[in-house]
Amino acid sequence: MDNSKFDPNRSGSASTPEKKIPGWAWAAGIILIIGLLWVVGTAIDFDQSSESETVATATTTPTTTKPQLTDADREKYGRQAQERAAASASQAAAAEASRQAAAAAQAAKMDPSTYERIDERSFAEIVRNADAHKNRKIVIYGNVVQADAGTGTSRFRANTAATQYWNWYDFDQNAIISANDPALVSRVLEDDLVEMFVEVKGALSYSTTLGGETTAPEFTVNMLNVYGSD
């Protein structure tokens, strides 16, 4: 009788045969491990790359350094500031002097004591060559012979003299009287007798109503008084 054969009816326990792991399971495990290593390596490389870029950016960012002024620079800039301040003060002083001069000149125009009272001979010389006496300030008298649309609102024509007369025929020097302020002569009418504080403006040539041309002295009146009518 062969005792090595298995008998299912035989009493007692039989030994369990040993299980083997299939080859495909080993292959799948190896592939999984390789994949995990690749993911971890990529993440590390990415972090290292980001850190490198940050370092590079920080390294290449230019820094602003405030220049240090030397004593020579400070002296130069201080001198330039003083020159600018002096130039500004000089300009302001010149502007103020010009303003004061203009104000003084205007005040003098309104001061009767600044005008000359001349005789008839001196006045005849002015009439003869008015351009040679420009800006001279004198007192004259006149009889208004034209104050209409032809002369305009800031001028009139008068027969004049250096002496105050009361009759129209005593005034024998034809002259053009103009005003910087039209309001000054707005109330002047023909035949008025006027006292005038004037500046010699020069000779003026103009066309007459008869179609001819004549030349007369022109005076700028700064103050005017109507003292009669004839």
Side-chain angles (χ1 to χ4, degrees):
M1 183 174 174
D2 187 359
N3 294 326
S4 61
K5 295 182 179 179
F6 172 68
D7 185 359
N9 295 319
R10 186 177 178 181
S11 60
S13 59
S15 60
T16 304
E18 188 178 83
K19 294 182 180 180
K20 293 183 179 181
I21 299 174
W24 62 267
W26 285 103
I30 293 172
I31 291 173
L32 179 61
I33 292 172
I34 293 173
L36 290 174
L37 290 175
W38 180 83
V39 170
V40 173
T42 301
I44 294 173
D45 289 342
F46 176 77
D47 292 341
Q48 290 177 348
S49 177
S50 298
E51 183 178 355
S52 299
E53 291 178 359
T54 301
V55 172
T57 301
T59 303
T60 56
T61 300
T63 57
T64 302
T65 303
K66 186 176 182 180
Q68 298 297 319
L69 295 179
T70 64
D71 291 341
D73 291 334
R74 294 188 182 92
E75 182 179 355
K76 180 180 72 174
Y77 296 146
R79 184 171 59 254
Q80 291 175 347
Q82 291 176 351
E83 290 173 352
R84 289 193 296 270
S88 178
S90 178
Q91 291 175 354
E96 177 61 18
S98 177
R99 186 193 66 78
Q100 291 181 357
Q106 184 60 34
K109 288 181 179 181
M110 305 308 294
D111 182 1
S113 67
T114 62
Y115 292 81
E116 298 179 70
R117 292 186 179 272
I118 59 178
D119 58 26
E120 293 296 342
R121 182 176 180 85
S122 296
F123 184 56
E125 292 174 354
I126 293 173
V127 171
R128 182 178 181 181
N129 189 2
D131 288 338
H133 297 271
K134 283 184 178 180
N135 300 319
R136 188 173 175 180
K137 297 167 67 178
I138 60 175
V139 180
I140 62 175
Y141 300 86
N143 170 232
V144 179
V145 294
Q146 184 180 0
D148 54 19
T151 57
T153 59
S154 60
R155 281 181 177 175
F156 62 85
R157 189 169 63 87
N159 290 330
T160 58
T163 304
Q164 184 177 16
Y165 296 116
W166 293 88
N167 299 308
W168 64 269
Y169 49 80
D170 290 322
F171 300 97
D172 58 359
Q173 301 291 352
N174 179 42
I176 302 299
I177 311 299
S178 62
N180 292 324
D181 181 7
L184 182 61
V185 297
S186 63
R187 60 189 179 89
V188 173
L189 302 175
E190 290 184 9
D191 298 328
D192 279 348
L193 299 175
V194 291
E195 178 189 34
M196 298 173 288
F197 295 80
V198 302
E199 293 179 78
V200 181
K201 191 171 183 179
L204 175 68
S205 296
Y206 64 93
S207 299
T208 67
T209 56
L210 298 177
E213 185 172 291
T214 189
T215 300
E218 183 177 12
F219 301 97
T220 300
V221 60
N222 296 317
M223 293 181 289
L224 180 148
N225 300 312
V226 176
Y227 67 88
S229 180
D230 188 10

